[in-house]
Amino acid sequence: MAETTKPAKRGRRTVARHGELTSPHPISLIMKLVGVVVAVILVSTAGVAAYALTDLTGSVAENAVALEGQEDVPPDIGAIEGGVNLLLVGTDECEPQYAKYFGERCTGADSEGQLNDVNMLVHISDDPRRVTVISFPRDLMIPIPSCTSEDGSVTGGVSNDQINTAWSYGGLSCVNKTISELSGLSIPFAAKVSFGNVINITDAIGGVDVCIGNGGIRDSNTGIDWPAGERNVQGLEALQFLRTRYGLANGSDLARISNQQQYMSSLARKLVSEEVLSDPATLYKLATTAVDNITPSESLANPMTLVQIALAVKNVPFEEIVFVQYPVDQDPYDENRVIPNRQAAEALWSALAANEPINVTNDANLGGGVITVEPGADETPTTATPSTTPTPGATEVPVDLPDSIPGTSAADRTCSAGNVRADG
């Protein structure tokens, strides 16, 4: 008989509140794949005229999804107070216009289904504001709870399945419920975008600059054969970069997550640049492109809510925006799967609940996904160089995360750990 998980621990659940309006200069740093869509909206909605917001409201709300078991958070005119949790989901659906880029995934027996292959929990802390983005590996084996689908049907929970199957049990709401129970956090906001839509989004923002390290990347699975050096990825190239796994030195899904975090950091710097923020036409273009490619929860359907979230993070420095991987151990029953390292995870959840600054102790260079470089380096790195970027004026002592939690901050500079030897 199928089992369901236990309810999330109530002691760690956080609910957003509302505060007074602050200076209108929103900077959103929620990114990567799904995050690029939400980031575009968060940056854009406070930078365009009121009539534009009205137009966007109808477009965003059209396909909004109700989240099972989550409290409604009504929008206000001020920044959201308290902790804010937002789930970003990327699915691998085979859209006709993009199917040819997915190879066997879109030509075999499973081509009709969808998997939630990218799952990111974005936690915005209460004052002082910090942003922590937790990526959950797609091969993570966990319980999937009983879920109610959009059509009202109820699926029975299962005691053990890959996290990326949660979508098949009940769509966005089920993914949200699954990660809420795994983390013990209330997650009132969620958004989904397909992998193929990344092409449209990245084109709208003018591409993202990434760095290819070692001797370059070759990956026949995604069609990449790129030399070492700086590269502006747009459209299909952005999708190829985010999906590459075998083009990295390690070739694992965990290495891919580390490489995707490089994209997130670069995107953050691009979004807050004058190139984007000072151009209302660009902002509106990004916003309209985003709403055509996003499926939000009903709680995110009102652009005012997005403005609230943007106001909450408008002054967060790059050093306080940390990307981490959910800690895992090898699955003893399957070498191709991983299981939760709950002891290490509890250290992360406890630090977030206490709103303590966190310090990633894991050496990013050891994961085979990226190599760190000194900020402003002019030459393409061929060897790993540790990177430390302390927060200016920081007075709190950061909590050292367990070494089993890989990650970087938006202030760290990294390059892809390409699978091509630097010496040729």
Side-chain angles (χ1 to χ4, degrees):
M1 181 175 177
E3 300 178 6
T4 57
T5 56
K6 296 180 180 179
K9 294 181 180 179
R10 298 294 175 183
R12 285 201 302 267
R13 302 181 76 84
T14 59
V15 178
R17 304 184 303 278
H18 307 278
E20 298 180 356
L21 182 67
T22 55
S23 58
H25 183 53
I27 295 175
S28 171
L29 301 173
I30 304 170
M31 66 294 294
K32 190 190 96 176
L33 208 52
V34 186
V36 67
V37 179
V38 177
V40 164
I41 295 178
L42 297 186
V43 170
S44 303
T45 48
V48 296
Y51 74 88
L53 292 180
T54 301
D55 288 344
L56 293 176
T57 300
S59 299
V60 173
E62 184 175 353
N63 299 313
V65 176
L67 297 180
E68 181 182 0
Q70 297 298 326
E71 299 179 38
D72 183 42
V73 183
D76 204 339
I77 61 171
I80 284 181
E81 295 181 339
V84 179
N85 295 313
L86 168 66
L87 180 67
L88 306 175
V89 178
T91 60
D92 66 346
E93 61 196 274
C94 294
E95 301 151 298
Q97 64 270 44
Y98 304 121
K100 61 184 178 182
Y101 302 133
F102 287 84
E104 293 183 3
R105 167 66 185 89
C106 291
T107 58
D110 297 330
S111 60
E112 297 299 321
Q114 292 185 48
L115 297 173
N116 48 295
D117 271 354
V118 172
N119 305 278
M120 293 195 312
L121 175 58
V122 181
H123 174 76
I124 304 170
S125 72
D126 198 357
D127 292 332
R129 295 292 188 184
R130 300 182 175 94
V131 178
T132 307
V133 183
I134 303 101
S135 295
F136 297 84
R138 54 167 286 174
D139 297 330
L140 178 64
M141 302 298 292
I142 58 170
I144 307 293
S146 174
C147 294
T148 301
S149 302
E150 291 183 48
D151 62 5
S153 61
V154 178
T155 60
V158 295
S159 61
N160 197 41
D161 205 345
Q162 279 187 229
I163 193 173
N164 71 339
T165 66
W167 185 273
S168 65
Y169 290 93
L172 179 62
S173 178
C174 192
V175 180
N176 194 77
K177 186 176 182 181
T178 298
I179 293 180
S180 178
E181 295 201 2
L182 175 64
S183 65
L185 297 174
S186 173
I187 310 174
F189 306 108
K192 167 260 182 182
V193 68
S194 68
F195 283 6
N197 290 148
V198 174
I199 294 176
N200 299 330
I201 297 296
T202 311
D203 283 347
I205 202 173
V208 173
D209 295 324
V210 297
C211 171
I212 311 300
N214 293 333
I217 290 178
R218 292 196 189 113
D219 181 3
S220 59
N221 292 279
T222 55
I224 292 178
D225 188 358
W226 298 345
E230 298 289 334
R231 190 179 190 92
N232 180 272
V233 294
Q234 299 189 37
L236 176 59
E237 284 200 352
L239 183 60
Q240 291 172 308
F241 181 81
L242 290 167
R243 294 187 65 229
T244 190
R245 170 177 177 175
Y246 299 107
L248 304 173
N250 179 285
S252 70
D253 186 57
L254 300 182
R256 172 164 54 190
I257 290 176
S258 294
N259 189 52
Q260 289 171 340
Q261 290 173 347
Q262 177 200 165
Y263 183 94
M264 287 191 282
S265 297
S266 180
L267 175 59
R269 293 188 287 270
K270 175 82 177 268
L271 287 175
V272 302
S273 69
E274 290 301 315
E275 178 183 352
V276 173
L277 288 180
S278 63
D279 188 345
T282 298
L283 291 176
Y284 186 63
K285 177 184 177 183
L286 294 177
T288 54
T289 301
V291 298
D292 288 338
N293 291 276
I294 188 175
T295 300
S297 61
E298 290 181 349
S299 54
L300 276 182
N302 191 323
M304 184 57 72
T305 302
L306 300 172
V307 173
Q308 285 183 272
I309 297 174
L311 288 171
V313 299
K314 66 186 178 67
N315 293 320
V316 178
F318 288 143
E319 293 83 359
E320 295 287 4
I321 302 169
V322 181
F323 308 105
V324 298
Q325 294 178 26
Y326 181 82
V328 297
D329 292 323
Q330 181 67 53
D331 187 336
Y333 302 105
D334 189 338
E335 63 180 10
N336 296 315
R337 302 290 181 262
V338 293
I339 58 175
N341 180 334
R342 296 187 183 275
Q343 182 177 359
E346 185 58 37
L348 172 62
W349 303 136
S350 296
L352 296 185
N355 194 14
E356 297 171 316
I358 57 177
N359 177 50
V360 176
T361 62
N362 181 281
D363 186 350
N365 299 288
L366 302 179
V370 296
I371 51 179
T372 56
V373 297
E374 293 296 333
D378 294 325
E379 297 182 0
T380 301
T382 56
T383 58
T385 303
S387 173
T388 56
T389 310
T391 303
T395 56
E396 298 178 89
V397 178
V399 173
D400 288 339
L401 294 181
D403 184 66
S404 55
I405 302 181
T408 57
S409 78
D412 293 327
R413 301 284 181 153
T414 61
C415 291
S416 302
N419 61 346
V420 180
R421 290 172 54 92
D423 57 9

